[in-house]
Amino acid sequence: MNEIVKGKQSLLFLHAPRIVSASSVVGSKESEGPLRKLFDRAEKDDLFGAQTWEEAESTMQKEACMTALRKAGISAEEIRYLFGGDLLRQGIATSMGVEDFQIPMFGLYGACSTSGEALALAAMSASAGYGRYMMAVTSSHFGSAEKEFRFPLGYANQRPLSAQWTVTGSGAFVVAGADVPPEPESGTKLEPGAPGRNASGGERRFSHVRISGITVGKIVDYGLKDSQNMGACMAPAAMDTISRNFEDMGRSAGYYDRIITGDLGYIGSSILTDLLKGQGHDIRGRHLDCGMTVFDRETQDTHAGGSGCGCAAVTLAAYVLPKIESGEWGRVLFVPTGALMSTVSFNEGASVPGIAHGIVLEHF
Amino acid sequence: MNEIVKGKQSLLFLHAPRIVSASSVVGSKESEGPLRKLFDRAEKDDLFGAQTWEEAESTMQKEACMTALRKAGISAEEIRYLFGGDLLRQGIATSMGVEDFQIPMFGLYGACSTSGEALALAAMSASAGYGRYMMAVTSSHFGSAEKEFRFPLGYANQRPLSAQWTVTGSGAFVVAGADVPPEPESGTKLEPGAPGRNASGGERRFSHVRISGITVGKIVDYGLKDSQNMGACMAPAAMDTISRNFEDMGRSAGYYDRIITGDLGYIGSSILTDLLKGQGHDIRGRHLDCGMTVFDRETQDTHAGGSGCGCAAVTLAAYVLPKIESGEWGRVLFVPTGALMSTVSFNEGASVPGIAHGIVLEHF
């Protein structure tokens, strides 16, 4: 075995691939939240000009890909492989969303952990030299997710306090091999004021963010069956992946400036802290959850926080990566979490296992 | 760029990974078809002892993984990463099916092309040295698929002649890096008569099958909207991937002993032949379709042929790979095809695009 392979589940890349650009496209509620100034595009019309929620989600995903390409200064033809997924049955938002780009693609399903799964595979492929540029994209939409998993919006059902609010958003990432030069070779010159510019005023193309390793998650099932308390269902998987990352890589919590979970929300995050304490790890002070970051708890009435494939993706793109790029955070363990269920599985009484993938992001 | 990368969509592995074992587990109808003597396990009870079709599919997938591990002479802990998927919403058959193995996993969705997607990623990971052994697994089940996409079985609806019959089956594959020795190191000794033995009498562990390259497919949309004629929807994608494979690798149809599509069935296969002819490629005499191979046209009343994630997987495992192992076929281009749709997308009037992934299998 070569030296890339670490412990039971992790890889530490010898020539770490880089994230050269990231984009975030969100809907109306997200555009009123704490990160409102950081998104590339915040749309007031949650239908994004489309006729259906599904089509809206695809439109959003297409826009996210286009923005990430624009920021990277490359064309769709320069992307070797695309890794993408969403929450809908048969991943239809992704199939319809990325179709126009005509990039060879791998469809994924990892529930809300899909952004981690996509980034892991993009990094593995870029590091192995299977192409210069890879793309990772995920999305979720409040309207399509409620229809898929719960009730039609017009039904106006009540939500328990443990429920989370699916983020309407899509995040896309361009990942490049270590040997790809920091600036686009094609000579595409980007005007500073052009559409798609990050409102935070950051550089379009990242040049200091790399994926130095990954910890691929396994399915963790504590037997919980409450699909309206996904934070609790996913917390054991987050614990498993985080403690596995520490063990595989010979690290402790203190190695990371931030440990960022995807969408455990308030309930799941509190369980995670306790579970990790039981394993001898203290993440307090350095833990952050995208579901708790994307919405304001006091004013936005999202109960236990945000969730969905888009939650971790847009928070990573708009909030986390710029801080790594600037060096404010040197090392981040990004851990999107997913609850593995369908309406059929929970109606049949199956439990809701979780999965979480760990991505080690570093300033260099 | 390194020399692995070929043309626009393909990889040609310098140190080609091997398929060390494959398994096939099928239901009652398949066990009456032409390949009946070749499957590892053919179950008369389509519920596989479970309570629901979904649980039956998971049970089948678990059995397929166990059989592939047994034939490879390794334990689940020796598998570094698992790549798996199925047709059900949120890939639940896979989540519940592989959970017990506790292998770090990547959930996939590529409709009926998923066996190709899983084998491609397993080969990419093994070739890059990300672990000694990878596993690829897919499944489909007639009962769960009819419920997911069409009508409950009790409804006894009529099917148009262009419709295909979803194969109840699961195929699993253990893929190893080129440097992994042909025999298991762990010393697990396999008695010839033990359960899981291939009825064709072949060796348990393959030692002459390698994946020498892949052609990753892109989404191909001819605007067809008839979800009951999936062969026609998928044929353009198969054409695209096959002709792209020829172009990327500088080959023609004659290079391969067989070009094997996943589940185009009778209608799709005839369209494929015509489309490729239009591109200047004649595949007649060397084309074979798993959907036309797994069922008997005259006696089994499956209309346009078999389909489903399991169709290509069990045909590959039970019928194709032993012929490559024996050297009867030296070079095979295996091209599982998928129709990208959901009940929501086709009820909303969306077209049914296709995708196909090409896997180059060689005797060595």
Side-chain angles (χ1 to χ4, degrees):
Chain A
M1 215 62 280
N2 68 41
E3 46 191 320
I4 301 170
V5 174
K6 293 286 169 194
K8 289 195 173 173
Q9 298 172 220
S10 304
L11 301 174
L12 198 59
F13 299 115
L14 297 177
H15 303 284
R18 300 183 297 113
I19 296 184
V20 294
S21 76
S23 69
S24 52
V25 177
V26 300
S28 61
K29 195 174 184 82
E30 295 68 26
S31 72
E32 293 159 2
L35 307 182
R36 60 186 168 278
K37 291 195 179 149
L38 305 179
F39 298 121
D40 292 310
R41 182 178 162 196
E43 182 63 65
K44 293 291 168 197
D45 168 23
D46 285 325
L47 273 169
F48 286 78
Q51 298 294 314
T52 65
W53 297 129
E54 292 75 22
E55 213 187 303
E57 188 171 342
S58 292
T59 305
M60 199 166 64
Q61 203 174 109
K62 192 190 293 186
E63 179 72 24
C65 289
M66 273 165 35
T67 306
L69 289 170
R70 205 156 52 209
K71 285 171 139 186
I74 59 173
S75 66
E77 291 79 51
E78 293 179 76
I79 302 287
R80 185 75 186 183
Y81 300 131
L82 180 147
F83 301 87
D86 58 87
L87 297 177
L88 302 185
R89 61 186 71 173
Q90 289 81 45
I92 206 72
T94 304
S95 300
M96 304 300 178
V98 305
E99 185 182 326
D100 286 354
F101 298 110
Q102 290 292 294
I103 303 169
M105 67 98 68
F106 293 94
L108 310 179
Y109 187 78
C112 307
S113 76
T114 308
S115 58
E117 185 182 355
L119 282 169
L121 289 169
M124 287 162 74
S125 300
S127 174
Y130 294 153
R132 297 177 78 78
Y133 294 105
M134 307 288 163
M135 181 170 260
V137 61
T138 58
S139 67
S140 56
H141 191 296
F142 180 74
S144 64
E146 289 293 301
K147 176 173 158 187
E148 178 76 26
F149 293 102
R150 295 162 200 108
F151 298 98
L153 290 186
Y155 206 72
N157 68 304
Q158 273 206 319
R159 301 153 52 79
L161 287 172
S162 62
Q164 294 177 246
W165 190 281
T166 304
V167 165
T168 298
S170 175
F173 307 87
V174 174
V175 176
D179 56 342
V180 175
E183 288 307 313
E185 309 85 337
S186 53
T188 321
K189 216 54 194 161
L190 302 160
E191 331 77 81
R197 183 175 172 78
N198 191 312
S200 68
E203 288 301 309
R204 286 168 165 283
R205 190 158 171 162
F206 295 130
S207 44
H208 301 291
V209 181
R210 68 181 181 195
I211 300 176
S212 63
I214 59 169
T215 300
V216 183
K218 52 190 171 61
I219 299 174
V220 179
D221 192 350
Y222 273 28
L224 293 157
K225 294 190 174 193
D226 185 356
S227 68
Q228 295 269 36
N229 187 353
M230 293 195 303
C233 297
M234 298 186 292
M239 180 274 283
D240 194 79
T241 297
I242 293 169
S243 58
R244 171 57 55 195
N245 175 273
F246 294 166
E247 193 173 321
D248 282 355
M249 301 199 173
R251 295 172 181 172
S252 63
Y255 181 86
Y256 296 106
D257 294 307
R258 287 292 182 283
I259 293 168
I260 303 179
T261 47
D263 54 354
L264 296 180
Y266 294 95
I267 295 175
S269 291
S270 141
I271 297 172
L272 173 67
T273 309
D274 286 350
L275 287 173
L276 279 171
K277 211 171 165 186
Q279 305 269 321
H281 301 300
D282 185 1
I283 59 164
R284 283 170 307 171
R286 61 189 77 245
H287 175 242
L288 184 150
D289 183 73
C290 300
M292 292 159 63
T293 307
V294 73
F295 292 125
D296 183 73
R297 191 179 197 176
E298 304 305 319
T299 61
Q300 290 198 290
D301 192 28
T302 53
H303 296 354
S307 68
C309 273
C311 177
V314 301
T315 306
L316 178 67
Y319 180 65
V320 179
L321 292 179
K323 285 190 188 289
I324 300 175
E325 171 73 7
S326 72
E328 185 179 337
W329 293 341
R331 296 157 176 173
V332 166
L333 178 56
F334 175 65
V335 190
T337 47
L340 299 168
M341 59 162 192
S342 75
T343 45
V344 175
S345 75
F346 69 71
N347 284 334
E348 287 177 354
S351 63
V352 182
I355 191 164
H357 299 293
I359 309 292
V360 182
L361 299 163
E362 290 187 358
H363 176 88
F364 72 100
Chain B
M1 212 64 282
N2 68 43
E3 45 191 321
I4 301 170
V5 174
K6 294 286 168 195
K8 288 196 173 172
Q9 297 172 221
S10 305
L11 300 175
L12 198 58
F13 299 115
L14 297 179
H15 303 285
R18 298 184 298 113
I19 296 184
V20 294
S21 76
S23 69
S24 52
V25 177
V26 300
S28 60
K29 196 175 183 82
E30 294 69 24
S31 71
E32 294 159 2
L35 306 183
R36 59 187 170 278
K37 292 195 178 149
L38 306 179
F39 298 121
D40 292 310
R41 183 178 162 197
E43 182 63 66
K44 292 291 169 197
D45 168 23
D46 284 326
L47 273 169
F48 286 78
Q51 299 293 315
T52 65
W53 298 129
E54 292 76 20
E55 215 186 302
E57 187 171 342
S58 293
T59 305
M60 199 166 64
Q61 203 175 110
K62 192 190 292 184
E63 179 72 24
C65 289
M66 272 164 37
T67 305
L69 289 170
R70 207 157 50 209
K71 286 172 138 186
I74 58 172
S75 65
E77 292 77 51
E78 293 178 76
I79 302 288
R80 185 75 186 183
Y81 299 131
L82 181 148
F83 301 87
D86 58 87
L87 296 177
L88 303 184
R89 61 186 71 174
Q90 288 82 44
I92 206 72
T94 304
S95 299
M96 303 300 178
V98 305
E99 186 182 325
D100 286 353
F101 298 110
Q102 290 291 294
I103 303 169
M105 67 97 69
F106 293 94
L108 310 179
Y109 187 79
C112 306
S113 77
T114 308
S115 58
E117 185 181 357
L119 282 168
L121 289 168
M124 288 161 73
S125 299
S127 173
Y130 294 153
R132 296 177 79 77
Y133 294 105
M134 307 288 162
M135 182 170 258
V137 61
T138 59
S139 66
S140 56
H141 192 296
F142 179 74
S144 63
E146 288 294 300
K147 177 173 158 186
E148 178 76 26
F149 293 102
R150 295 162 200 110
F151 298 99
L153 290 185
Y155 206 73
N157 67 303
Q158 273 207 319
R159 303 153 49 79
L161 286 173
S162 63
Q164 293 176 247
W165 189 281
T166 304
V167 165
T168 298
S170 175
F173 307 87
V174 175
V175 176
D179 56 342
V180 175
E183 287 309 311
E185 308 86 338
S186 53
T188 320
K189 215 52 194 163
L190 301 161
E191 331 79 81
R197 184 176 171 78
N198 191 311
S200 69
E203 288 301 309
R204 285 169 165 283
R205 189 156 171 162
F206 295 131
S207 44
H208 301 290
V209 181
R210 67 181 183 196
I211 299 176
S212 62
I214 59 169
T215 300
V216 183
K218 52 191 170 62
I219 300 174
V220 179
D221 192 350
Y222 274 29
L224 294 157
K225 293 191 175 191
D226 184 356
S227 67
Q228 296 270 36
N229 187 354
M230 292 196 302
C233 296
M234 298 186 292
M239 180 275 282
D240 194 78
T241 297
I242 293 168
S243 59
R244 172 55 57 193
N245 176 273
F246 295 166
E247 192 171 326
D248 282 356
M249 301 200 173
R251 297 174 180 170
S252 63
Y255 181 85
Y256 296 105
D257 294 307
R258 287 293 182 283
I259 292 167
I260 303 178
T261 46
D263 55 354
L264 295 180
Y266 295 94
I267 295 174
S269 290
S270 139
I271 297 172
L272 172 67
T273 308
D274 287 349
L275 286 174
L276 279 171
K277 212 170 164 187
Q279 304 270 321
H281 302 299
D282 185 0
I283 59 165
R284 284 170 307 171
R286 58 189 79 243
H287 175 243
L288 185 151
D289 183 73
C290 300
M292 291 159 64
T293 307
V294 73
F295 293 124
D296 183 72
R297 192 179 196 177
E298 304 304 320
T299 62
Q300 291 198 287
D301 192 28
T302 53
H303 296 354
S307 68
C309 273
C311 177
V314 301
T315 306
L316 178 67
Y319 180 65
V320 179
L321 292 179
K323 284 191 190 289
I324 300 175
E325 172 71 7
S326 73
E328 185 179 338
W329 292 340
R331 296 157 175 173
V332 166
L333 178 57
F334 175 65
V335 190
T337 46
L340 300 168
M341 59 162 192
S342 75
T343 45
V344 175
S345 75
F346 68 69
N347 283 335
E348 287 177 354
S351 63
V352 182
I355 191 164
H357 299 294
I359 309 292
V360 182
L361 299 164
E362 289 187 358
H363 176 86
F364 73 99

